[in-house]
């Protein structure tokens, strides 16, 4: 499998740290130094499916493909206003595709999980062209009174077009059940038969625990995919990592003992856009001419679950 097109859609509203400090006990200095985030872009007037469809159309255009060329659409999303039907089925109608569609939810790891599923379909010969969209609006499930979590997130969509090829060298995903460190319990409709405490909660996060688990599991995954490819860390040209906290990215980098130039980041502008961070950063690096044919890329992400994933991809192989 290989990636032949990328696309991004960013919402219009820029929310700076100073804007959040107007209603919350926080400040630009704390957020910038502890997370690396300066601002995030949030959905205000649009719907998430607008962003998802926009990113998808741009990815198709960059791949030189039509929506009707796609054999499958996978959309990674944690939560949006539709529980059903799937976001991917709404996007299918907007972009005028005709293929089957489904959504996945593996939190911030969704892009890696989507790549893994797409690879299984493409390797089996069942499908040739797959559109993978990551569309997220965490601003609508975090608690804007919780300064520990709401300052971290941004909304956005990123998409890639996948087809047959030799680019993907190795992909792994893992899960270690830790439902209490990062979760969002959505309110369901009342039922006359329910006799239990529903305990609805906006996003809850044990930040320090997530931080430690993120660094150890991502470092472990990255070392594992690299060694399973018969490579050493310095063979990787670019690490396109989940953008959650600049200190997490830097700790992973230090464990691998590699230079900063190999770890691009953009969370100063967008914050943590959940599963959309990697396709957005990939698109940005490609447009900036930072990725050449034959370069070895490493993607790695972590998120609620606790879920993780990593892969090695040779660009344009
Ligand atoms: O995709 C996965 C999503 N989640 C993550 O990746 C989160 C990973 N964790 C983190 O990024 C960090 O743990 C945080 C950014 C959430 C917190 O940073 P930290 O360095 O671990 O800070 P802390 O939780 O140890 O808090 C230090 C202090 C506390 O005050 P006291 O107890 O020392 O007086 C907090 O109450 O900072 C305080 N604090 C804040 N102060 C100003 C926490 N949030 C804020 C805030 N502004 N927004």
């Amino acid at each position: 499998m290989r990636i032949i097109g990328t696309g991004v859609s960013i919402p219009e509203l820029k929310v700076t740290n100073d804007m959040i400090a107007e209603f919350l006990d926080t400040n630009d200095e704390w957020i910038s130094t502890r997370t690396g985030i300066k601002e995030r872009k949030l959905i205000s007037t649009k719907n998430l499916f607008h962003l998802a469809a926009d990113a998808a159309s741009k990815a198709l255009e960059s791949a030189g493909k039509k929506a009707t060329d796609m054999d499958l659409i996978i959309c990674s999303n944690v939560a949006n206003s539709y529980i059903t039907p799937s976001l991917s089925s709404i996007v299918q109608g907007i972009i005028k595709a005709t293929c089957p569609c489904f959504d996945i939810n593996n939190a911030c790891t969704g892009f890696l999980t989507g790549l893994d599923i797409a690879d299984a379909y493409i390797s089996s010969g069942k499908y040739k062209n797959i559109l993978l969209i990551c569309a997220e609006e965490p601003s609508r499930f975090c608690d804007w009174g919780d300064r520990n979590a709401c300052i971290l997130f941004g909304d956005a969509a990123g998409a890639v077009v996948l087809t047959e090829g030799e680019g993907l060298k190795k992909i792994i995903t893992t899960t270690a059940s830790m439902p209490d460190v990062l979760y969002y319990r959505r309110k369901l409709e009342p039922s006359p038969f329910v006799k239990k405490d529903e305990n609805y909660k906006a996003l809850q996060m044990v930040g320090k625990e997530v931080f430690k688990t993120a660094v150890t599991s991502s470092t472990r995954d990255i070392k594992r995919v690299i060694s399973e490819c018969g490579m050493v860390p310095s063979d990787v040209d670019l690490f396109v990592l989940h953008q959650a906290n600049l200190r997490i990215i830097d700790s992973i980098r230090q464990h691998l003992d590699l230079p900063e130039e190999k770890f691009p980041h953009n969370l100063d502008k967008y914050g943590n856009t959940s599963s959309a961070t990697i396709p957005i950063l990939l698109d940005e690096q490609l447009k900036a001419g930072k990725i050449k044919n034959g370069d070895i890329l490493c993607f790695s992400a972590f998120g609620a679950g606790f879920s993780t994933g990593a892969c090695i991809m040779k660009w344009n192989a």
Side-chain angles (χ1 to χ4, degrees):
M1 184 176 79
R2 68 191 181 109
I3 296 175
I4 54 166
T6 61
V8 164
S9 187
I10 305 290
E12 66 286 3
L13 182 67
K14 175 163 96 176
V15 176
T16 62
N17 294 341
D18 285 338
M19 286 162 78
I20 298 179
E22 282 172 24
F23 61 87
L24 204 60
D25 180 17
T26 188
N27 54 73
D28 177 48
E29 215 238 315
W30 193 97
I31 302 174
S32 306
T33 53
R34 299 278 180 140
T35 71
I37 299 163
K38 286 284 197 191
E39 61 191 45
R40 67 288 294 139
K41 313 296 186 303
L42 301 186
I43 285 182
S44 176
T45 55
K46 287 191 177 150
N47 286 310
L48 188 62
F49 56 77
H50 293 132
L51 260 64
D54 183 36
S57 301
K58 288 173 180 162
L60 287 167
E61 197 187 330
S62 94
K65 296 276 185 194
K66 298 189 294 295
T68 47
D69 295 330
M70 294 301 108
D71 301 313
L72 177 70
I73 301 173
I74 305 172
C75 187
S76 161
N77 168 255
V78 174
N80 72 97
S81 50
Y82 279 90
I83 291 182
T84 196
S86 63
L87 207 51
S88 48
S89 63
I90 299 172
V91 172
Q92 187 220 43
I94 301 173
I95 65 172
K96 300 190 168 41
T98 51
C99 59
C101 306
F102 60 81
D103 287 5
I104 57 168
N105 179 352
N106 206 16
C108 303
T109 309
F111 179 66
L112 269 300
T113 310
L115 286 183
D116 197 26
I117 296 169
D119 179 47
Y121 276 124
I122 290 172
S123 308
S124 76
K126 176 155 185 166
Y127 295 130
K128 189 167 175 226
N129 297 312
I130 298 181
L131 175 61
L132 170 60
I133 308 164
C134 299
E136 305 280 10
E137 51 181 341
S139 70
R140 297 306 302 280
F141 56 82
C142 59
D143 172 359
W144 283 94
D146 176 8
R147 66 178 186 172
N148 169 56
C150 71
I151 50 113
L152 296 173
F153 297 99
D155 305 330
V160 294
V161 176
L162 301 159
T163 195
E164 295 161 323
E166 299 296 320
L168 185 68
K169 299 299 174 200
K170 190 88 202 171
I171 183 159
I172 57 168
T173 60
T174 79
T175 305
S177 182
M178 291 172 75
D180 299 332
V181 300
L182 188 55
Y183 68 91
Y184 162 47
R185 287 187 64 157
R186 193 187 294 185
K187 194 171 181 178
L188 297 176
E189 299 303 316
S191 149
F193 305 105
V194 167
K195 304 266 181 292
K196 57 177 177 166
D197 182 9
E198 293 280 53
N199 201 15
Y200 157 73
K201 288 259 191 254
L203 190 80
Q204 302 293 305
M205 189 180 74
V206 187
K208 278 205 178 308
E209 197 60 32
V210 175
F211 192 109
K212 271 191 290 177
T213 314
V215 172
T216 49
S217 54
S218 259
T219 308
R220 174 205 65 207
D221 287 357
I222 290 170
K223 286 183 173 168
R224 186 178 142 200
V225 274
I226 290 173
S227 94
E228 287 183 10
C229 287
M231 296 177 179
V232 291
S234 58
D235 290 332
V236 175
D237 296 296
L238 210 62
F239 288 83
V240 185
L241 304 189
H242 175 44
Q243 305 284 295
N245 185 322
L246 194 51
R247 287 159 51 219
I248 294 179
I249 297 170
D250 207 51
S251 295
I252 296 169
R253 180 188 71 74
Q254 286 175 29
H255 278 102
L256 296 166
D257 195 18
L258 291 170
E260 281 179 16
E261 313 83 81
K262 289 198 174 194
F263 292 76
H265 48 85
N266 61 7
L267 43 54
D268 55 325
K269 291 182 289 184
Y270 308 124
N272 177 350
T273 57
S274 191
S275 67
T277 63
I278 295 178
I280 292 172
L281 184 59
L282 175 66
D283 180 86
E284 219 172 77
Q285 292 293 303
L286 284 164
K287 288 192 173 129
K290 298 280 167 65
I291 299 173
K292 309 180 296 298
N293 287 352
D295 275 357
I296 301 294
L297 310 185
C298 177
F299 303 153
S300 170
F302 56 85
F306 206 87
S307 59
T308 76
C311 76
I312 294 290
M313 195 169 278
K314 186 168 181 178
W315 193 252
N316 249 341

